[in-house]
Amino acid sequence: MPCSAKTELLRRHASGNFRDLLLYITEDPAMVLYLNTQQNRKNSPNENYARELLELFTMGTGNYTEKDIKEAARAFTGISVDQQTGEAIYRANQHDFGVKTFLGKTGDLQPADIIDAILEQPATAEYIARKFWSYFAYADPDDAIIKALGGVLRDNKYELKPMLRTMFMSEAFYAKRAMLTNIKSPVELVVGTMRALEIPPVDTANINIGMRLMGQSLMQPPNVKGWDGGETWITASTLFNRYNVLGALIAGNDNEQGRRRRQRVIEAIRNSTGKEGQAAEEALSRLQPPYDPTAAMRKYRLVTAEKTVDHYVQRLLQRPLKPDRKKVLLDALKPRFRAGDIESSQNVELIRGLIHLIVSMPEYQLS
Amino acid sequence: MADELFFTRRDMLKRGATLLSAAATVPYFLDRTALAMAEPRKSGRRTGKNNERILVVVQLAGGNDGLNTVVPIGNDRYYRARPAIGIKKEDTLRINDELAFPKSAEGFKRLYDDGLLAVVQGVGYPNPNRSHFVSTDIWSTADPDERVHNGWIGRYFDCTCKGNDRPDPKTGIALVQESPLAMQGERFTPVSFGSPEELTWRGPAAGGRGTNAFNKLNGTKRRPGRKNEMPDDEASALAYLERMAMDARASAEEIKQATGTNSSPRNEGIRFRFRNRGAGGDLGQKLEMVKRMIAAGLETKVYYVSMGGFDTHAGQLGRHQTLIQQLGEALHEFTASLREDKMLDRVTIMTFSEFGRRVAENGSQGTDHGAAAPLFVIGEGVRAGVHGEHPSLEPDQLDAGDLKWNTDFRSIYSAVLTDWMNADAGRILGGDYPKIRLFNT
């Protein structure tokens, strides 16, 4: 279960203290296994974790030497995972107690000393600030922004909340450049759509596969750096998959045909894996009901095609649409729309079609 | 190395997920079941207008074991290093006194006997990296220093167009879901897809009014060329997405037409092209699709396909033999089918893998990540035979237990770019590498 434990860990510290996060992640079983810390031993050090810690997680290249990597690796020796329990353990006999020199500090440095030395460097605070800004606002921000945010982070001993507050309250965060310039990740796209439409996550197995088809398998990043994101989310395949997976989610599969098909999947898995798979079968037996707009139809009195288009454009895009674009949606909906009939089952079908068109717009891919 | 552990587990998960997705998503999106069984329509075949040369890159993901692919049967060191997984001489097909293909890889042998296969020995690069990810990036970018962030084929496409023009994305097609770094240029982005079936909008309102509206919403005008960079305001972000949507839609039509996977009822009942139906497994199917696109005269210069499963840390012998049997079959069927239609003179195939594997077997009858390995180049224009020296197997001649390289992989790229693609290899690779004479031209 190292992956679920790691998710819990990240959630617990995501907006807490960055130093705590680093200390915990250094000993996190999933990380220890992933970046070879358990092969990192006194007489045969493995630099994998030390290198990525500096290069990807805290400082970025150019701020330390190859020697620093080697010395940090020595400090992390002895951290391992118990094969039986899956818990992190410390093997003192494999730890290197010798004198190490890291980023100018000398002594019998322990993991916490390494992390403190990293956090003392201004480059670290700025590297972290840059990551947050790039994620929430835009890539390549001006140095002034990064220096200011990095300063807040260091002044608050790497508590993340003050830095986040400063960022969210800054004027630059609301500049044109920060608005609707990010391409939604598959998770943001799918979860965002479900939240916006209040679609319950029922057929999670298929939702997961859908995100994989868009290029993001949860718990399976392509490499230690993670997903590149941004424009790399979009290829011919993934763009159509984004449109079609959302369409399938809205249409649902909790029907006779869907059940038959799912039964075939369950049998195929049973045949290939033997008997064990009850949890998987339980998960697979849940099918997604179609999106039901009747509550919205009543609550917002969606009695005309115009009102219906306006409602869903506002709900999903949160901004007005250019008139020519809106006209396309209206032209698709209007001819068969039964105006004035708030209980119309025909309208229910048409509204699902309308939503699929809206989520199949380039505009909808941006956040 | 724990990334091995992770990779293997990932592979396993992926296999599980693939099974699930094949079964679960096909019904979701793909109502017709004749997925890879259709053939291009008669009219779509051999438009013949296109006589350009084509490169097909076959990635062997996971690190292919070179020593069990081209077996050094004449070297006792090999058998001593691999008591459990060494391939016995009697189980091989002879190339010469020193080398042989495993019996299972009959496809290679047939290509070799037909004078179509070049084996380049000992391919690698200085300071070999043994991480799957890093080494794959190195092969993709052609930069062992990892400073370059786009791919060698992508840069080839960047170079093919003047000024600010953007190369037609269809000139490079990757039959993989995630766009491969090797194909990504500064301005060029290839068309990447797992299956042409994916390139269709499938809405509840699809067909008629819905599709019409979808097409309108996804752009119809060609936009001016732009670099592949993150847009900096909403308008340009939208333009970027609209361009991608339009490219996807435009390419999709032609690709579906060419592969016979469009929904036209006329396509039904058309048969599979490869003689040996189903040969070469998943790779065979992909190459069959490539064949159809070539036959349909798409203006594609580079196709990229990938085959996985080569990370054989344990129980290697049977597993690896099955893989190279499929590989050999797929490549043989592909070339045979091209040859039959007199198109093989336009096509060169090149294989690559991020690294070879350790000379000595490990404790679980597998092999760990290694370094240098042989690479195949196939085609009528290719100087068939064995090129270069086999790296020494003497223990004191190994690099941490791995074979030392004697041919830089960029020398092969250089030969392919210069002598096959007529491109400026020095500019694309950022330097000159000793060229090997791999082509007759």
Side-chain angles (χ1 to χ4, degrees), chain A residues 200-345:
Chain A
V202 182
D203 184 4
T204 46
N206 234 355
I207 292 167
N208 239 325
I209 290 163
M211 292 192 286
R212 190 174 72 82
L213 290 174
M214 303 176 200
Q216 190 172 33
S217 286
L218 282 178
M219 306 298 166
Q220 291 182 63
N223 54 52
V224 58
K225 198 157 116 254
W227 293 277
D228 287 329
E231 72 271 41
T232 66
W233 289 127
I234 306 296
T235 68
S237 258
T238 60
L239 189 60
F240 277 108
N241 285 337
R242 285 163 86 100
Y243 297 166
N244 288 333
V245 167
L246 292 181
L249 186 66
I250 294 154
N253 59 352
D254 191 5
N255 50 42
E256 192 47 46
Q257 199 184 27
R259 259 187 296 281
R260 260 203 326 272
R261 286 168 172 169
R262 185 53 61 88
Q263 200 49 43
R264 286 213 302 275
V265 176
I266 292 174
E267 271 155 31
I269 290 175
R270 209 178 279 161
N271 289 340
S272 72
T273 59
K275 283 185 198 105
E276 29 170 1
Q278 273 203 327
E281 284 189 22
E282 200 275 318
L284 284 169
S285 64
R286 295 194 298 261
L287 295 173
Q288 190 73 36
Y291 166 66
D292 182 3
T294 47
M297 287 161 79
R298 287 203 196 95
K299 186 170 174 193
Y300 302 102
R301 295 205 54 79
L302 304 180
V303 288
T304 64
E306 285 81 2
K307 266 190 118 164
T308 308
V309 169
D310 283 343
H311 173 79
Y312 282 103
V313 164
Q314 179 56 35
R315 192 157 168 180
L316 291 162
L317 295 169
Q318 288 120 27
R319 57 191 186 276
L321 211 48
K322 282 192 198 142
D324 59 322
R325 311 279 285 168
K326 190 172 145 186
K327 187 170 180 302
V328 175
L329 295 175
L330 205 51
D331 287 349
L333 182 70
K334 202 166 182 177
R336 292 174 56 217
F337 193 85
R338 295 168 67 98
D341 184 353
I342 210 153
E343 305 289 334
S344 163
S345 60

Side-chain angles (χ1 to χ4, degrees), chain A residues 62-301:
Chain A
N63 297 305
Y64 51 85
T65 64
E66 285 289 311
K67 184 91 196 328
D68 286 323
I69 295 173
K70 288 192 162 50
E71 296 288 282
R74 290 178 58 207
F76 293 129
T77 49
I79 300 172
S80 191
V81 173
D82 188 312
Q83 297 291 337
Q84 248 64 53
T85 63
E87 303 281 322
I89 44 165
Y90 176 68
R91 300 185 200 274
N93 62 341
Q94 284 167 6
H95 180 71
D96 181 342
F97 287 97
V99 171
K100 311 154 190 96
T101 299
F102 175 73
L103 294 174
K105 290 206 151 107
T106 302
D108 171 17
L109 302 177
Q110 294 301 309
D113 301 321
I114 297 292
I115 282 163
D116 285 334
I118 291 172
L119 294 175
E120 271 174 33
Q121 306 286 320
T124 305
E126 288 171 18
Y127 184 79
I128 302 307
R130 188 177 294 275
K131 281 199 178 204
F132 274 97
W133 189 270
S134 305
Y135 182 81
F136 284 105
Y138 50 84
D140 292 326
D142 297 339
D143 281 349
I145 293 175
I146 294 314
K147 280 211 177 341
L149 287 179
V152 175
L153 199 54
R154 289 216 303 155
D155 291 347
N156 289 281
K157 297 189 166 43
Y158 285 89
E159 281 297 328
L160 291 164
K161 282 200 181 88
M163 191 268 294
L164 289 170
R165 191 175 299 116
T166 309
M167 177 170 81
F168 293 141
M169 305 286 277
S170 72
E171 210 166 297
F173 192 75
Y174 299 90
K176 204 175 158 214
R177 194 177 162 192
M179 296 305 198
L180 299 166
T181 50
N182 272 330
I183 295 172
K184 291 174 188 167
S185 71
V187 171
E188 288 164 342
L189 184 75
V190 171
V191 175
T193 304
M194 296 179 78
R195 291 252 170 98
L197 295 171
E198 296 173 58
I199 293 175
V202 182
D203 184 4
T204 46
N206 234 355
I207 292 167
N208 239 325
I209 290 163
M211 292 192 286
R212 190 174 72 82
L213 290 174
M214 303 176 200
Q216 190 172 33
S217 286
L218 282 178
M219 306 298 166
Q220 291 182 63
N223 54 52
V224 58
K225 198 157 116 254
W227 293 277
D228 287 329
E231 72 271 41
T232 66
W233 289 127
I234 306 296
T235 68
S237 258
T238 60
L239 189 60
F240 277 108
N241 285 337
R242 285 163 86 100
Y243 297 166
N244 288 333
V245 167
L246 292 181
L249 186 66
I250 294 154
N253 59 352
D254 191 5
N255 50 42
E256 192 47 46
Q257 199 184 27
R259 259 187 296 281
R260 260 203 326 272
R261 286 168 172 169
R262 185 53 61 88
Q263 200 49 43
R264 286 213 302 275
V265 176
I266 292 174
E267 271 155 31
I269 290 175
R270 209 178 279 161
N271 289 340
S272 72
T273 59
K275 283 185 198 105
E276 29 170 1
Q278 273 203 327
E281 284 189 22
E282 200 275 318
L284 284 169
S285 64
R286 295 194 298 261
L287 295 173
Q288 190 73 36
Y291 166 66
D292 182 3
T294 47
M297 287 161 79
R298 287 203 196 95
K299 186 170 174 193
Y300 302 102
R301 295 205 54 79

